[in-house]
Amino acid sequence: MLATTFQLVAQTTVTGIVTDGKERLAGANVFIIGTIDGCLTDSLGRFAFPTSKAGEATLKVTYMGYEDYSYTADVSQMTHLTVQMKEQATTISEVVVTASTFSFGKSDNFKTMDAHDVVMAGNSCGDIVAALQTLPGTQKVGENGKLYVRGGESEECQTFVNGMHVLVPYSTNTENSAVRGRFSPFLFKGINFSLGGYGGEYGQALSAVLPMETTDMATSDKYGVSASLVDWNVGGTKAFANSSLSFNAALTSMGLYDRLFSQRFDFTRPYRKLSGEAQYKKEFKTAGVMKSYVGYDLTSVGLHVDGRDLSLKEHNIYANITHRMPFGHGFSLFTGIANSSVFSDIDDAVTAGDHYHNFRNEVHLKAEVRKVCSDVLKMSAGVEDYIRNSVLRYEPYQYHLNYNILAAHVDAQWRIIPRLFVNMSARAEMMDTQWLLLPRTTLSYVPNKRLQASLVLGRYSQTAEDDYLAKSGKSLGQSTADHAILSLQYKTPSTLLRVEPYWKKYHHLPLLENGIYLPHGNGLSRGVDVYVENNSLFKNLTTTLSYSYNDSERRYLDYTSMRMPDFASRHNLRLTAKYGIGKVIIGLAESCTSSRHFPQGKTPAYNSVDANLTYLMSPKVIVYTSLNNILGRTNIFRFDEMGSPVTATRDRFFYIGIFVSLKNNKAYDISNF
C-alpha cells in the first residue's frame, strides 16, 4: 500500500493542445517515447494523460499528413504545451502534374475515361480516337476522323505504345471517309492524352502525344467473342506461372451493312479489314518486366468515282519489345525497339489505269535511365534513334527516301518548396547535320489535393511529311512550335473543372514557293479550353461539358497568305451524359462546331446528336447498340476543288454488337487482353 501511494504521488500529468497553426487537430497521437503513456487529442485538439516517467523524456506527436513532432525536456515541464504541427511535404514521387493532360484507366489520376467508357461513349462506336474527340482542344474533321489538336494538323499528334513510337496509328480508308484507330481500348491499362507541353521524353510531335501503356501480366485465363453488323472478333489470354500470352483476331466488313442501309458512295468492293494482335508479357524475379506486342492489319476497299474504279489495299505491321528493370541504388533502366511497316497500293488512284505504290518503314530504338534521387528530386536521361525509309512509285514521279533522327533528353523534377514543383527538360535532336535544342519547363503549384496551377513553356519539333521532304531534297529539315500553356484545375471526388489558355507559334513549316517546298512557312494558334465533369447531379449520372475556342492562322503548303487553316473551327462544344439504370447504361452526346473556311466558301456549322444503350444481359454477355446523328442532319465537312460539298457516306450510322465472355465471370473481361 505504501509503495502504491509513493508511485501515485510520483505521477505527472502531461497536458497541452495540438494545432497546425490555423486550426486545432483532433485525433492526433501523443505519447512518451519508451512508455505506454499517451492519448489521442479530443475534438478541440487537447490532450492530458498521466505518466510515471521522471526526469528527461521525449514527447512525440504524430498525425496523418503532417511531419512527426518531438519535444525533449524534463517531464515536470510538459504541462500546458502548445504543439504546432508542420504539414508533410509531398514527395516528388507522389506529385502528379496534370497540365494539359487527360489520363484515364489510371488509379493515380482523376479517371475521366476507361476502356468501358470508350466503348459506351455515345459517339465513339468503341474507337479510342472518336472517344478522345469529346475532350477539349480536339477539333472535328469529319472527312477523315483523325485527331486534330489546338489548331494543329493530324500529323502533329503522335501515338506511342509502351513508350515506343507508332508510325501510322490509323486504319486506312478512301478519301472523305472517317478512319478509326488501330488499337482496342481494352488493350491498355492507362492512356495519357497530352494536348501540349509534354516532357523531353517525347519528340517528333508538334502539337500532342498519345502515350498508351498495355496491360500487365495476366494471372488467369480468359477468352471472349463478339459479333456485330460490321465486325467479328475472337481472342483470349493464357496465363502461365510468371508470364501470359494474349491474342486477338478480328474481321471488319461493311458488306452486310451497305446492303441493309443506303449510302451515297458507289462501292465496287466493300470496306474490309482483317487484323490480328498478340502480346507476350513476362515478369522476372530480379530482372524486371518484358513486354512484347505485334499487330497486323490488311485493309481493302473499291470505289467507283469520277469514271474510274479506285482500288485500295494496305498492309500495316507494327511490333515492339520493351524491357524495364532495376539495377541498384534506386536506378531503373528502360530499353525498347519498335518497327512499323506500311505498304499502300492504289489502282486508278487519280486517272484510270494508273498505279500508286508507297512503302514506309520506321525502326525506333530507345534507352532511358531513371532515378529517384531523394524526396525532392527525380531525374531521367535517355537516347533514341528514328531510322526511316520511304519509297513511292507513281509515274512519272517517284522517290526513295532514307534518313534518321538522333535524339537525347534529360529531365529533372524538383520540389522547390513543399507545394511548388518544377520540371525542367532539355531535348536535342539531329537530322542529317541539323541540330535542334528544345528546352521545356513546367512550373506547378499544388496547394492541396483539389487545386493545381501550372505554367508550361517549351519548344517542340517534327520532321516534314515524307512527300514534302522528298520533293525538297531533304532541305526542309524540321518544323518547330513554341508552346505556352496556363493550366488551372480543381477537382473533388465528384467534379473536375479545368481551364487552359494556350498559345502556339509555328516556325519553318513547309511552304510551296515557285514549285519548290521550302521551310519558310509559319503559323500561330491561340485559344482556351474548358472541361467540366460531374457525377453528383443525380445518382448514377455522369455529365461532361467540353468547350474549345481556337483562333489560328498559318501560311504553309500552297497558302499564298496567312489564313485560318481549313481543318480548324473556331468554336467546338461537346456535351455528354451517361446514366445507369440497373443493368442498362444509356449514353447521350451532342457535338457542335462552328464553320470551317475554304477558298470556295464557309461550311455550315456542324451538329450531331448521338446515343447508345448498353445492356448487361448476363454476367457474361453484353449487348451494345448506338445510333450516330439521330436527327439525320446532313453535315458538310468541306468543299472540293469544284466547290461541291463533301459529306459523309451516310447521315446516320447504326451499330449493334454482342460481347460474350467464354471463360470468366464478368462480361467486362471479354476484352481478350
Coordinates of all heavy atoms in Angstrom, one line a residue, residues 500-582:
E500 N -7.8 26.1 -69.5 CA -6.4 26.1 -70.0 C -6.4 27.1 -71.2 O -6.7 26.7 -72.3 CB -5.9 24.8 -70.4 CG -5.6 23.8 -69.3 CD -4.8 22.6 -69.7 OE1 -4.7 22.3 -71.0 OE2 -4.3 21.9 -68.8
P501 N -5.9 28.3 -71.0 CA -5.5 29.2 -72.1 C -4.2 28.7 -72.7 O -3.3 28.2 -71.9 CB -5.4 30.6 -71.5 CG -5.9 30.4 -70.1 CD -5.8 29.0 -69.7
Y502 N -4.0 28.8 -74.0 CA -2.8 28.3 -74.6 C -2.4 29.2 -75.8 O -3.2 30.0 -76.3 CB -2.9 26.9 -75.1 CG -4.0 26.7 -76.2 CD1 -3.7 26.9 -77.5 CD2 -5.3 26.4 -75.8 CE1 -4.6 26.7 -78.5 CE2 -6.3 26.2 -76.8 CZ -5.9 26.4 -78.1 OH -6.9 26.3 -79.1
W503 N -1.1 29.1 -76.2 CA -0.5 29.9 -77.3 C 0.5 29.0 -78.0 O 1.4 28.4 -77.3 CB 0.1 31.2 -76.7 CG 0.8 32.1 -77.7 CD1 0.2 33.1 -78.5 CD2 2.2 32.0 -78.1 NE1 1.2 33.7 -79.2 CE2 2.4 33.1 -79.0 CE3 3.2 31.3 -77.6 CZ2 3.7 33.3 -79.6 CZ3 4.5 31.5 -78.2 CH2 4.7 32.5 -79.1
K504 N 0.5 28.9 -79.3 CA 1.4 28.2 -80.0 C 1.9 29.0 -81.2 O 1.1 29.6 -81.9 CB 0.8 26.9 -80.6 CG 0.6 25.8 -79.6 CD 0.4 24.4 -80.2 CE -0.9 24.4 -81.1 NZ -1.1 23.0 -81.6
K505 N 3.2 29.0 -81.4 CA 3.9 29.7 -82.5 C 4.7 28.7 -83.4 O 5.5 28.0 -82.9 CB 4.8 30.8 -82.0 CG 5.5 31.6 -83.1 CD 4.5 32.5 -83.9 CE 5.3 33.4 -84.8 NZ 4.3 34.3 -85.6
Y506 N 4.3 28.6 -84.7 CA 5.0 27.7 -85.6 C 6.1 28.4 -86.4 O 5.9 29.5 -86.8 CB 4.0 27.1 -86.6 CG 3.0 26.2 -85.9 CD1 1.7 26.6 -85.5 CD2 3.2 24.8 -85.8 CE1 0.8 25.8 -84.9 CE2 2.3 23.9 -85.3 CZ 1.1 24.4 -84.8 OH 0.2 23.6 -84.3
H507 N 7.2 27.6 -86.6 CA 8.3 28.1 -87.5 C 8.7 27.0 -88.4 O 8.6 25.8 -88.2 CB 9.5 28.5 -86.6 CG 9.2 29.4 -85.5 ND1 9.1 30.8 -85.6 CD2 8.9 29.1 -84.2 CE1 8.8 31.3 -84.4 NE2 8.7 30.4 -83.5
H508 N 9.2 27.4 -89.6 CA 9.8 26.5 -90.6 C 8.8 25.5 -91.1 O 9.2 24.3 -91.3 CB 11.0 25.8 -90.0 CG 12.0 26.8 -89.4 ND1 12.6 27.8 -90.0 CD2 12.4 26.9 -88.1 CE1 13.4 28.5 -89.2 NE2 13.3 27.9 -88.0
L509 N 7.6 25.8 -91.3 CA 6.6 24.9 -91.9 C 6.9 24.8 -93.4 O 7.4 25.8 -94.0 CB 5.2 25.4 -91.7 CG 4.7 25.5 -90.2 CD1 3.3 26.1 -90.2 CD2 4.7 24.1 -89.6
P510 N 6.6 23.7 -94.0 CA 6.8 23.6 -95.5 C 5.9 24.6 -96.2 O 4.7 24.7 -96.0 CB 6.3 22.1 -95.8 CG 6.4 21.4 -94.5 CD 6.1 22.4 -93.4
L511 N 6.5 25.3 -97.2 CA 5.7 26.3 -97.9 C 6.1 26.2 -99.4 O 7.3 26.1 -99.7 CB 6.1 27.7 -97.5 CG 5.4 28.9 -98.2 CD1 3.9 28.8 -98.0 CD2 6.0 30.2 -97.8
L512 N 5.1 26.1 -100.3 CA 5.4 25.9 -101.7 C 5.6 27.3 -102.3 O 4.7 28.1 -102.4 CB 4.2 25.2 -102.4 CG 4.3 24.9 -103.8 CD1 5.4 23.8 -104.0 CD2 3.0 24.3 -104.4
E513 N 6.9 27.5 -102.8 CA 7.2 28.7 -103.5 C 7.9 28.4 -104.8 O 8.9 27.7 -104.9 CB 8.2 29.5 -102.6 CG 7.6 30.0 -101.3 CD 8.6 30.9 -100.5 OE1 9.8 30.5 -100.5 OE2 8.1 31.9 -99.9
N514 N 7.3 28.9 -105.9 CA 7.8 28.7 -107.2 C 8.0 27.2 -107.5 O 9.0 26.7 -108.1 CB 9.1 29.4 -107.4 CG 9.0 30.9 -107.3 OD1 8.0 31.5 -107.7 ND2 10.0 31.5 -106.6
G515 N 7.0 26.4 -107.1 CA 7.0 25.0 -107.3 C 8.0 24.2 -106.5 O 8.1 23.0 -106.7
I516 N 8.6 24.8 -105.4 CA 9.5 24.1 -104.6 C 9.1 24.3 -103.1 O 8.7 25.4 -102.7 CB 11.0 24.7 -104.8 CG1 11.4 24.5 -106.2 CG2 12.0 23.9 -103.8 CD1 12.7 25.2 -106.5
Y517 N 9.2 23.2 -102.3 CA 8.8 23.3 -100.9 C 10.1 23.8 -100.1 O 11.1 23.2 -100.2 CB 8.4 21.9 -100.4 CG 7.0 21.6 -100.8 CD1 6.8 20.6 -101.8 CD2 5.9 22.1 -100.2 CE1 5.5 20.3 -102.2 CE2 4.6 21.8 -100.5 CZ 4.4 20.9 -101.6 OH 3.1 20.6 -101.9
L518 N 9.9 24.9 -99.4 CA 10.9 25.5 -98.6 C 10.4 25.7 -97.2 O 9.2 25.8 -96.9 CB 11.3 26.9 -99.2 CG 11.8 26.9 -100.7 CD1 12.0 28.3 -101.2 CD2 13.2 26.1 -100.7
P519 N 11.4 25.7 -96.2 CA 11.0 25.8 -94.8 C 10.7 27.3 -94.4 O 11.2 27.8 -93.4 CB 12.2 25.3 -94.1 CG 13.3 25.6 -94.9 CD 12.8 25.5 -96.4
H520 N 9.8 27.9 -95.2 CA 9.6 29.4 -94.9 C 8.2 29.6 -94.4 O 7.8 30.7 -94.2 CB 9.7 30.1 -96.2 CG 11.1 30.1 -96.8 ND1 11.4 30.5 -98.1 CD2 12.3 29.8 -96.2 CE1 12.7 30.3 -98.3 NE2 13.3 29.9 -97.2
G521 N 7.4 28.5 -94.1 CA 6.1 28.7 -93.6 C 6.1 29.0 -92.1 O 7.0 28.8 -91.4
N522 N 5.0 29.6 -91.6 CA 4.8 29.9 -90.2 C 3.4 29.9 -89.8 O 2.5 29.8 -90.7 CB 5.5 31.2 -89.8 CG 4.9 32.4 -90.6 OD1 3.9 32.9 -90.3 ND2 5.6 32.7 -91.8
G523 N 3.1 30.0 -88.5 CA 1.7 30.0 -88.1 C 1.6 30.3 -86.6 O 2.5 30.4 -85.9
L524 N 0.3 30.6 -86.2 CA 0.0 31.0 -84.9 C -1.3 30.4 -84.5 O -2.3 30.3 -85.3 CB -0.1 32.5 -84.7 CG -0.5 33.1 -83.4 CD1 0.7 32.8 -82.3 CD2 -0.7 34.6 -83.4
S525 N -1.4 29.8 -83.3 CA -2.6 29.2 -82.8 C -2.8 29.6 -81.3 O -1.8 29.4 -80.5 CB -2.6 27.7 -82.9 OG -3.8 27.1 -82.4
R526 N -3.9 30.1 -80.9 CA -4.2 30.5 -79.5 C -5.6 30.3 -79.2 O -6.5 30.2 -80.1 CB -3.8 32.0 -79.4 CG -4.5 32.9 -80.3 CD -3.8 34.2 -80.4 NE -4.4 35.0 -81.5 CZ -3.9 36.1 -82.0 NH1 -2.8 36.6 -81.4 NH2 -4.4 36.8 -83.0
G527 N -5.9 30.1 -77.9 CA -7.3 29.8 -77.5 C -7.4 29.5 -76.1 O -6.4 29.7 -75.3
V528 N -8.5 28.9 -75.7 CA -8.8 28.5 -74.4 C -9.6 27.2 -74.4 O -10.6 27.1 -75.2 CB -9.4 29.6 -73.5 CG1 -10.8 30.0 -74.1 CG2 -9.5 29.2 -72.1
D529 N -9.3 26.3 -73.5 CA -10.1 25.0 -73.4 C -10.8 25.0 -72.0 O -10.1 25.4 -71.0 CB -9.2 23.8 -73.5 CG -8.6 23.7 -74.9 OD1 -9.2 24.2 -75.9 OD2 -7.6 23.0 -75.1
V530 N -12.0 24.6 -72.0 CA -12.7 24.4 -70.7 C -13.3 23.0 -70.6 O -14.0 22.6 -71.6 CB -13.9 25.5 -70.6 CG1 -14.6 25.3 -69.2 CG2 -13.3 26.9 -70.7
Y531 N -13.1 22.4 -69.5 CA -13.7 21.0 -69.3 C -14.3 20.9 -68.0 O -13.7 21.2 -67.0 CB -12.5 20.0 -69.5 CG -13.0 18.5 -69.4 CD1 -13.6 17.9 -70.5 CD2 -12.8 17.8 -68.3 CE1 -14.1 16.6 -70.4 CE2 -13.3 16.5 -68.2 CZ -13.9 15.9 -69.3 OH -14.3 14.6 -69.2
V532 N -15.5 20.3 -67.9 CA -16.2 20.1 -66.7 C -16.7 18.7 -66.7 O -17.4 18.3 -67.6 CB -17.4 21.1 -66.4 CG1 -18.0 20.8 -65.1 CG2 -16.9 22.5 -66.5
E533 N -16.4 17.9 -65.7 CA -17.0 16.6 -65.5 C -17.7 16.5 -64.1 O -17.1 16.9 -63.1 CB -16.0 15.5 -65.6 CG -16.6 14.1 -65.5 CD -15.5 13.0 -65.7 OE1 -15.1 12.8 -66.8 OE2 -15.2 12.3 -64.7
N534 N -18.9 16.0 -64.1 CA -19.6 15.9 -62.8 C -20.4 14.6 -62.7 O -21.0 14.2 -63.7 CB -20.5 17.1 -62.7 CG -21.3 17.2 -61.3 OD1 -22.3 16.5 -61.2 ND2 -20.7 17.9 -60.4
N535 N -20.4 14.0 -61.5 CA -21.3 12.8 -61.3 C -22.1 13.0 -60.0 O -22.4 12.0 -59.3 CB -20.4 11.5 -61.3 CG -19.3 11.6 -60.2 OD1 -19.4 12.4 -59.3 ND2 -18.3 10.8 -60.5
S536 N -22.4 14.2 -59.6 CA -23.2 14.4 -58.4 C -24.6 15.1 -58.7 O -25.3 15.3 -57.7 CB -22.4 15.3 -57.5 OG -22.2 16.6 -58.0
L537 N -24.9 15.4 -59.9 CA -26.2 16.0 -60.2 C -27.4 15.1 -59.8 O -28.3 15.4 -59.1 CB -26.3 16.4 -61.6 CG -25.3 17.5 -62.1 CD1 -25.5 17.7 -63.6 CD2 -25.5 18.8 -61.3
F538 N -27.2 13.8 -60.3 CA -28.2 12.8 -59.9 C -27.4 11.5 -59.7 O -26.3 11.3 -60.3 CB -29.2 12.6 -61.0 CG -30.1 13.8 -61.3 CD1 -29.8 14.6 -62.3 CD2 -31.2 14.1 -60.5 CE1 -30.6 15.7 -62.6 CE2 -32.0 15.2 -60.7 CZ -31.7 16.0 -61.8
K539 N -28.0 10.6 -59.0 CA -27.3 9.3 -58.7 C -27.2 8.5 -60.0 O -28.1 8.5 -60.9 CB -28.2 8.5 -57.7 CG -27.5 7.2 -57.3 CD -28.4 6.4 -56.3 CE -27.7 5.1 -55.9 NZ -28.6 4.4 -54.9
N540 N -26.0 7.9 -60.3 CA -25.7 7.1 -61.5 C -25.7 7.9 -62.7 O -25.7 7.4 -63.8 CB -26.8 6.0 -61.6 CG -26.8 5.1 -60.4 OD1 -25.8 4.8 -59.8 ND2 -28.0 4.6 -60.1
L541 N -25.6 9.3 -62.6 CA -25.5 10.1 -63.8 C -24.1 10.8 -63.9 O -23.7 11.4 -62.9 CB -26.6 11.2 -63.8 CG -26.5 12.2 -65.0 CD1 -26.8 11.6 -66.3 CD2 -27.5 13.4 -64.7
T542 N -23.4 10.7 -65.0 CA -22.1 11.4 -65.2 C -22.3 12.3 -66.4 O -22.7 11.8 -67.5 CB -21.0 10.4 -65.4 OG1 -20.9 9.5 -64.3 CG2 -19.7 11.1 -65.7
T543 N -21.9 13.5 -66.3 CA -22.1 14.5 -67.4 C -20.7 15.2 -67.6 O -19.9 15.4 -66.7 CB -23.1 15.6 -67.0 OG1 -22.8 16.3 -65.8 CG2 -24.5 15.0 -66.9
T544 N -20.5 15.6 -68.8 CA -19.3 16.3 -69.2 C -19.7 17.5 -70.1 O -20.6 17.4 -70.9 CB -18.2 15.5 -69.9 OG1 -18.7 15.1 -71.2 CG2 -17.9 14.2 -69.1
L545 N -18.9 18.6 -70.0 CA -19.0 19.7 -70.9 C -17.6 20.0 -71.3 O -16.7 20.2 -70.5 CB -19.6 20.9 -70.2 CG -19.8 22.2 -71.0 CD1 -21.0 23.0 -70.6 CD2 -18.5 23.1 -71.0
S546 N -17.4 20.1 -72.6 CA -16.1 20.4 -73.2 C -16.3 21.5 -74.2 O -17.0 21.4 -75.2 CB -15.5 19.1 -73.9 OG -14.4 19.4 -74.6
Y547 N -15.6 22.6 -74.0 CA -15.6 23.7 -74.9 C -14.2 24.2 -75.3 O -13.3 24.3 -74.4 CB -16.4 24.9 -74.3 CG -16.3 26.2 -75.2 CD1 -17.0 26.3 -76.4 CD2 -15.5 27.2 -74.8 CE1 -16.9 27.4 -77.2 CE2 -15.4 28.4 -75.6 CZ -16.1 28.4 -76.8 OH -15.9 29.5 -77.6
S548 N -14.0 24.5 -76.6 CA -12.7 25.0 -77.0 C -12.9 26.2 -77.9 O -13.8 26.1 -78.9 CB -12.0 23.9 -77.8 OG -11.7 22.8 -77.0
Y549 N -12.2 27.2 -77.7 CA -12.1 28.3 -78.6 C -10.7 28.4 -79.2 O -9.7 28.3 -78.5 CB -12.4 29.7 -77.8 CG -12.1 30.9 -78.7 CD1 -13.0 31.3 -79.6 CD2 -10.9 31.6 -78.6 CE1 -12.7 32.4 -80.4 CE2 -10.6 32.7 -79.3 CZ -11.5 33.1 -80.3 OH -11.2 34.2 -81.1
N550 N -10.6 28.4 -80.5 CA -9.3 28.4 -81.2 C -9.3 29.4 -82.3 O -10.1 29.5 -83.1 CB -9.1 27.0 -81.8 CG -7.8 27.0 -82.6 OD1 -7.8 27.0 -83.8 ND2 -6.7 26.9 -81.9
D551 N -8.3 30.3 -82.2 CA -8.0 31.3 -83.2 C -6.6 31.0 -83.8 O -5.6 31.2 -83.2 CB -8.0 32.7 -82.5 CG -7.7 33.8 -83.5 OD1 -7.8 33.5 -84.8 OD2 -7.3 34.9 -83.1
S552 N -6.6 30.4 -85.0 CA -5.4 30.0 -85.6 C -5.3 30.5 -87.0 O -6.3 30.7 -87.7 CB -5.2 28.5 -85.6 OG -6.3 27.9 -86.3
E553 N -4.1 30.7 -87.5 CA -3.8 31.1 -88.9 C -2.4 30.6 -89.2 O -1.5 30.5 -88.3 CB -3.9 32.6 -89.1 CG -3.1 33.5 -88.2 CD -3.3 34.9 -88.4 OE1 -4.2 35.3 -89.1 OE2 -2.5 35.7 -87.8
R554 N -2.2 30.3 -90.4 CA -0.9 29.9 -90.9 C -0.7 30.1 -92.4 O -1.6 30.2 -93.1 CB -0.6 28.4 -90.5 CG -1.6 27.4 -91.1 CD -1.2 26.0 -90.9 NE -1.2 25.6 -89.5 CZ -0.6 24.5 -89.0 NH1 -0.1 23.6 -89.9 NH2 -0.6 24.2 -87.7
R555 N 0.6 30.2 -92.7 CA 1.0 30.2 -94.1 C 1.9 29.1 -94.4 O 3.0 29.0 -93.9 CB 1.7 31.6 -94.4 CG 2.1 31.8 -95.9 CD 2.6 33.2 -96.1 NE 3.1 33.4 -97.5 CZ 4.4 33.5 -97.8 NH1 5.3 33.4 -96.8 NH2 4.8 33.6 -99.0
Y556 N 1.4 28.1 -95.1 CA 2.2 26.9 -95.4 C 1.6 26.1 -96.6 O 0.5 26.5 -97.1 CB 2.2 26.0 -94.1 CG 1.0 25.0 -93.9 CD1 1.2 23.7 -93.6 CD2 -0.3 25.5 -94.0 CE1 0.2 22.8 -93.4 CE2 -1.4 24.6 -93.9 CZ -1.1 23.3 -93.6 OH -2.2 22.5 -93.4
L557 N 2.3 25.1 -97.1 CA 1.9 24.4 -98.2 C 1.6 25.3 -99.4 O 2.4 26.1 -99.8 CB 0.7 23.4 -97.9 CG 1.0 22.4 -96.8 CD1 -0.2 21.4 -96.7 CD2 2.3 21.6 -97.1
D558 N 0.3 25.3 -99.9 CA 0.0 26.2 -101.0 C -0.7 27.5 -100.6 O -1.3 28.2 -101.5 CB -0.8 25.4 -102.1 CG -2.1 24.9 -101.5 OD1 -2.3 24.9 -100.3 OD2 -2.9 24.4 -102.3
Y559 N -0.7 27.8 -99.3 CA -1.4 29.0 -98.9 C -0.6 30.2 -99.3 O 0.6 30.3 -99.0 CB -1.5 29.1 -97.3 CG -2.5 28.1 -96.7 CD1 -3.0 27.0 -97.4 CD2 -3.0 28.3 -95.4 CE1 -3.9 26.2 -96.9 CE2 -3.9 27.5 -94.8 CZ -4.4 26.4 -95.6 OH -5.3 25.5 -95.0
T560 N -1.2 31.1 -100.0 CA -0.4 32.3 -100.5 C -0.3 33.4 -99.5 O 0.5 34.3 -99.7 CB -1.1 32.8 -101.8 OG1 -2.5 33.2 -101.5 CG2 -1.1 31.8 -102.9
S561 N -1.1 33.3 -98.4 CA -1.0 34.3 -97.4 C -1.5 33.7 -96.1 O -2.0 32.6 -96.0 CB -1.9 35.5 -97.7 OG -3.3 35.1 -97.8
M562 N -1.3 34.4 -95.0 CA -1.8 33.9 -93.7 C -3.3 33.8 -93.7 O -4.0 34.8 -94.0 CB -1.3 34.9 -92.6 CG 0.2 34.9 -92.3 SD 0.8 33.4 -91.5 CE 0.2 33.6 -89.8
R563 N -3.8 32.6 -93.3 CA -5.2 32.5 -93.2 C -5.5 31.3 -92.3 O -4.7 30.5 -91.9 CB -5.9 32.3 -94.5 CG -5.5 31.0 -95.2 CD -6.3 30.9 -96.6 NE -6.0 29.7 -97.4 CZ -6.7 28.6 -97.3 NH1 -7.7 28.4 -96.3 NH2 -6.4 27.6 -98.0
M564 N -6.8 31.3 -91.9 CA -7.2 30.2 -91.0 C -7.2 28.9 -91.7 O -7.7 28.7 -92.8 CB -8.7 30.5 -90.5 CG -9.2 29.5 -89.4 SD -10.8 30.0 -88.9 CE -11.1 28.9 -87.5
P565 N -6.5 27.8 -91.2 CA -6.4 26.6 -91.9 C -7.8 25.9 -92.1 O -8.6 26.1 -91.2 CB -5.5 25.7 -91.0 CG -5.5 26.4 -89.7 CD -5.7 27.8 -89.9
D566 N -8.0 25.2 -93.2 CA -9.3 24.7 -93.5 C -9.7 23.6 -92.5 O -10.9 23.2 -92.5 CB -9.4 24.2 -94.9 CG -8.3 23.2 -95.3 OD1 -7.9 22.5 -94.4 OD2 -8.0 23.2 -96.5
F567 N -8.8 23.0 -91.8 CA -9.2 21.9 -90.8 C -9.6 22.5 -89.5 O -10.1 21.7 -88.6 CB -8.1 20.9 -90.6 CG -6.8 21.5 -90.2 CD1 -6.5 22.0 -88.9 CD2 -5.7 21.7 -91.2 CE1 -5.3 22.5 -88.6 CE2 -4.5 22.3 -90.8 CZ -4.3 22.7 -89.5
A568 N -9.5 23.8 -89.3 CA -9.7 24.4 -87.9 C -11.1 25.0 -87.9 O -11.6 25.6 -88.9 CB -8.7 25.4 -87.6
S569 N -11.8 24.9 -86.8 CA -13.1 25.6 -86.5 C -12.9 26.3 -85.2 O -12.3 25.9 -84.2 CB -14.2 24.6 -86.4 OG -13.9 23.5 -85.5
R570 N -13.4 27.5 -85.2 CA -13.2 28.5 -84.0 C -13.8 28.0 -82.8 O -13.2 28.1 -81.7 CB -13.6 29.9 -84.4 CG -13.3 30.9 -83.4 CD -13.1 32.3 -84.1 NE -11.9 32.2 -84.9 CZ -11.5 33.2 -85.7 NH1 -12.3 34.3 -85.8 NH2 -10.5 33.1 -86.4
H571 N -15.1 27.5 -82.8 CA -15.8 27.1 -81.6 C -16.1 25.6 -81.7 O -16.6 25.1 -82.7 CB -17.1 27.9 -81.5 CG -16.9 29.4 -81.4 ND1 -16.5 30.0 -80.2 CD2 -17.0 30.3 -82.4 CE1 -16.4 31.3 -80.5 NE2 -16.7 31.5 -81.8
N572 N -15.9 24.9 -80.6 CA -16.1 23.5 -80.5 C -16.8 23.2 -79.2 O -16.2 23.5 -78.1 CB -14.9 22.7 -80.7 CG -14.2 22.9 -82.0 OD1 -14.4 22.1 -82.9 ND2 -13.3 23.9 -82.1
L573 N -18.0 22.6 -79.2 CA -18.7 22.3 -78.0 C -19.2 20.9 -78.0 O -19.7 20.4 -79.0 CB -19.9 23.2 -77.8 CG -20.9 22.9 -76.6 CD1 -20.1 23.2 -75.3 CD2 -22.1 23.7 -76.7
R574 N -18.9 20.1 -76.9 CA -19.4 18.8 -76.7 C -20.0 18.6 -75.4 O -19.4 19.0 -74.4 CB -18.2 17.7 -76.9 CG -17.8 17.6 -78.3 CD -16.4 18.1 -78.5 NE -15.8 17.9 -79.8 CZ -14.7 18.5 -80.2 NH1 -14.0 19.3 -79.4 NH2 -14.3 18.3 -81.4
L575 N -21.2 18.0 -75.4 CA -21.9 17.6 -74.1 C -22.1 16.1 -74.1 O -22.6 15.6 -75.1 CB -23.2 18.4 -74.0 CG -23.1 19.9 -74.1 CD1 -24.5 20.5 -74.2 CD2 -22.4 20.5 -72.9
T576 N -21.8 15.5 -73.0 CA -22.1 14.0 -72.9 C -22.8 13.7 -71.6 O -22.6 14.4 -70.6 CB -20.8 13.2 -73.0 OG1 -20.0 13.4 -71.8 CG2 -20.0 13.5 -74.2
A577 N -23.6 12.7 -71.6 CA -24.2 12.2 -70.4 C -24.3 10.7 -70.4 O -24.5 10.1 -71.5 CB -25.6 12.8 -70.3
K578 N -24.1 10.1 -69.3 CA -24.1 8.6 -69.1 C -24.9 8.3 -67.9 O -24.6 8.8 -66.8 CB -22.8 8.0 -69.1 CG -22.8 6.5 -69.1 CD -21.4 5.9 -69.1 CE -20.6 6.2 -67.8 NZ -19.3 5.5 -67.8
Y579 N -26.0 7.5 -68.0 CA -26.9 7.2 -66.9 C -27.1 5.7 -66.8 O -27.4 5.0 -67.8 CB -28.2 7.9 -67.1 CG -29.2 7.8 -66.0 CD1 -28.9 8.3 -64.7 CD2 -30.4 7.1 -66.1 CE1 -29.8 8.2 -63.6 CE2 -31.3 6.9 -65.1 CZ -31.0 7.5 -63.8 OH -31.8 7.3 -62.8
G580 N -27.0 5.2 -65.6 CA -27.2 3.8 -65.4 C -28.5 3.5 -64.7 O -28.8 4.1 -63.6
I581 N -29.2 2.5 -65.2 CA -30.5 2.1 -64.6 C -30.4 0.5 -64.5 O -30.6 -0.2 -65.4 CB -31.7 2.5 -65.4 CG1 -31.7 3.9 -65.8 CG2 -33.0 2.1 -64.6 CD1 -32.8 4.3 -66.7
G582 N -30.0 0.0 -63.3 CA -29.9 -1.4 -63.1 C -28.9 -2.0 -64.1 O -27.7 -1.6 -64.0

